[in-house]
Structure formats: structure tokens, C-alpha cells
């Protein structure tokens, strides 16, 4: 974990209430897709955890949805603004377990960390398909970016305004694959897990400290109590207890 100051390079809306922010700074502690940062915001006691979408030697990309005071504050920030971040948090996805054909499965703001994962799996020569779920067409983002990686993209929207009408599990049932990586809201993860296939699930969770000190994001697994922020946010399907 590293505490550092990062400068906003760009901050733009990409879908309904959804923004993409690019930050410049020290990326030395960002190692695996699926890790997250914890952002200090003016006037707010608790930092805001945001998954890392992608990164290189100099910049990282975050995607966030405006849902409250903190993210509204972020949406108003202009390039040049500096932010205090804790970086290198969480365990991230284990890419070594990817099969011959893996699915990355994202729901809403669970989609971003799967982009960085998909990019690196493709670079390793893996066959990857993306199943992305949203409420409606206006909320869809990063379809083109996944396709540009050479990754087939299957969309599901709850209202049927784009792609398959329904949920990511409706799409999954029509595909052949041997492993999955999923990130999204708890009902989605529960439904994916119930399909009984092997994979990894990344949990979205409210956090206090973000590095294991407060125990505020503890959860029960088949192998005991774990903290989402340090033992996760990624867990293997066989250890998850719903």
C-alpha cells in the first residue's frame, strides 16, 4: 500500500451518471487487475474506494458512478486537480487460473476492473469473452473498448433496450466457457455463483479504512471470516458462502 498525490489528467462523462477519470502519478504499487484505490475527498471523513479500470507506467483510469456526495464532488473536478490516494489495495484477480475460454462478467460499475483484466489476458494469448449487464441503454459504457481488445461482447439490459433483455446469467446460459471472472452487485454475484461453475468473484463493499484495520467489511466464507479489503475483493467461487 502506498499513500500518494495524483493529478487529474482528464475527467469526463461516458454514460448516464458515469464518469471516467485518468490520474497521473506513481503506479509502482498497482500490480494486478481487480485492485482498488481509496480516495480522500474534502470534508468527508471516510475515503472512497474505487476499482482501477486500467493502468500503465504513468497513469491509471478510474470509472465511477455518481451516487452521493463524494462522487458528486469527483464529477466536478477539472484536469490539474490533485487527489490524495491510497493505492495498491486489495488482492486482485488471479490470471493463472484462466482457462482456454474465460468469461469476464460485469454488472454496472463492476465492469471497469474487468477491462484491465481482459486486456492482460488477451495480451497473454487467452481467449476471452465479455458479458456486460446494465439497467438500460443509457447506462452502457466500454462496449467499444472491450471490442477493440478483440474480445466478443455480449450485452444484457434489464429493460431490453440494448442486447439481451434480462441479466448477465441469461447470456451466460447460452455460452460455452470453462472459467469466469465476475464483478458487480451482490444479487448478480449470487446468481452467477448459483450457476455452479468455477471462477472468481470481486465484491463491491462499503469500506472504512480499506486496508484491514477496522474489520468493517468482514464477511463469512467456507474457510472462515475474511476482510473484503485485504483478503479480497476477489474470492474464488469455491470459498464463497452466500
Amino acid at each position: 500500500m502506498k499513500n500518494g498525490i495524483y493529478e487529474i489528467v482528464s475527467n469526463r462523462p461516458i454514460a448516464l451518471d458515469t464518469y471516467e477519470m485518468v490520474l497521473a502519478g506513481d503506479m509502482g504499487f498497482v500490480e494486478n487487475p481487480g485492485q482498488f484505490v481509496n480516495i480522500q475527498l474534502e470534508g468527508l471523513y471516510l475515503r472512497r474506494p474505487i476499482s482501477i479500470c486500467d493502468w500503465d507506467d504513468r497513469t491509471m483510469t478510474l470509472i465511477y458512478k455518481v451516487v452521493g456526495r463524494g462522487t458528486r464532488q469527483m464529477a466536478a473536478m477539472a484536469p490539474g486537480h490533485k487527489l490524495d490516494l491510497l493505492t495498491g489495495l486489495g488482492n486482485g484477480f488471479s490470471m493463472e487460473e484462466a482457462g482456454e475460454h474465460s468469461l469476464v462478467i460485469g454488472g454496472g460499475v463492476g465492469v471497469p476492473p474487468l477491462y484491465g483484466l481482459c486486456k492482460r489476458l488477451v495480451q497473454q494469448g487467452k481467449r476471452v469473452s465479455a458479458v456486460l449487464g446494465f439497467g438500460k441503454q443509457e447506462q452502457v459504457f466500454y462496449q467499444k473498448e472491450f471490442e477493440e481488445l478483440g474480445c466478443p461482447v455480449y450485452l444484457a439490459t434489464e429493460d431490453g433496450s440494448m442486447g439481451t433483455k434480462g441479466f448477465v446469467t441469461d447470456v451466460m446460459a447460452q455460452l460455452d466457457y470453462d472459467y469466469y471472472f465476475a464483478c458487480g452487485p451482490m444479487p448478480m454475484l449470487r446468481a452467477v455463483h448459483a450457476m455452479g461453475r468455477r471462477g472468481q468473484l470481486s465484491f463491491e463493499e462499503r469500506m472504512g479504512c480499506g486496508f484491514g484495520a477496522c474489520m468493517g467489511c468482514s464477511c463469512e466464507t467456507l474457510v472462515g471470516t475474511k476482510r473484503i479489503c485485504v483478503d479480497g475483493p476477489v474470492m474464488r467461487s469455491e470459498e464463497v458462502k452466500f
Side-chain angles (χ1 to χ4, degrees), residues 75-238:
M77 293 176 179
H81 188 97
K82 291 181 171 59
L83 287 170
D84 182 309
L85 267 62
L86 296 178
T87 66
L89 300 174
N91 59 352
F93 293 103
S94 175
M95 293 182 286
E96 291 76 15
E97 299 183 42
E100 290 299 316
H101 181 203
S102 294
L103 293 186
V104 294
I105 307 157
V109 289
V111 169
L114 298 171
Y115 175 78
L117 171 66
C118 184
K119 182 177 182 179
R120 284 154 182 83
L121 288 174
V122 169
Q123 288 171 346
Q124 293 177 4
K126 303 289 187 179
R127 180 184 173 203
V128 188
S129 298
V131 181
L132 311 180
F134 301 91
K136 54 187 177 181
Q137 182 175 358
E138 292 80 6
Q139 297 172 334
V140 174
F141 63 88
Y142 262 48
Q143 177 185 3
K144 179 181 177 182
E145 284 79 357
F146 276 93
E147 291 173 342
E148 288 175 345
L149 296 177
C151 179
V153 176
Y154 302 89
L155 292 177
T157 53
E158 294 178 35
D159 68 355
S161 55
M162 195 170 184
T164 298
K165 182 177 182 179
F167 305 100
V168 293
T169 46
D170 297 315
V171 178
M172 292 170 61
Q174 303 172 36
L175 300 176
D176 292 323
Y177 60 97
D178 51 23
Y179 201 77
Y180 72 79
F181 301 88
C183 183
M186 190 65 74
M188 187 204 91
L189 296 182
R190 185 180 292 112
V192 169
H193 183 267
M195 296 184 75
R197 304 291 292 270
R198 289 184 64 247
Q200 297 173 36
L201 302 106
S202 180
F203 289 80
E204 298 175 349
E205 184 62 60
R206 289 184 177 273
M207 298 178 184
C209 67
F211 49 83
C214 70
M215 302 296 290
C217 60
S218 298
C219 67
E220 291 299 322
T221 74
L222 295 178
V223 292
T225 302
K226 289 196 171 186
R227 296 162 294 175
I228 296 293
C229 63
V230 291
D231 301 313
V234 180
M235 297 189 185
R236 289 169 175 79
S237 58
E238 56 266 30

Side-chain angles (χ1 to χ4, degrees), residues 23-35:
L23 296 168
D26 181 5
M27 302 298 144
F29 281 69
V30 183
E31 299 175 342
N32 299 309
Q35 290 185 296

Side-chain angles (χ1 to χ4, degrees), residues 34-77:
Q35 290 185 296
F36 66 96
V37 299
N38 231 355
I39 304 175
Q40 181 68 60
L41 295 169
E42 186 177 351
L44 300 178
Y45 178 68
L46 294 178
R47 291 175 179 261
R48 287 340 191 230
I50 305 289
S51 296
I52 297 171
C53 175
D54 195 16
W55 77 97
D56 57 27
D57 292 340
R58 194 184 69 85
T59 65
M60 74 170 75
T61 300
L62 310 178
I63 294 176
Y64 61 96
K65 185 173 183 178
V66 177
V67 294
R69 182 180 170 188
T71 45
R72 282 197 300 271
Q73 192 179 129
M74 289 173 61
M77 293 176 179

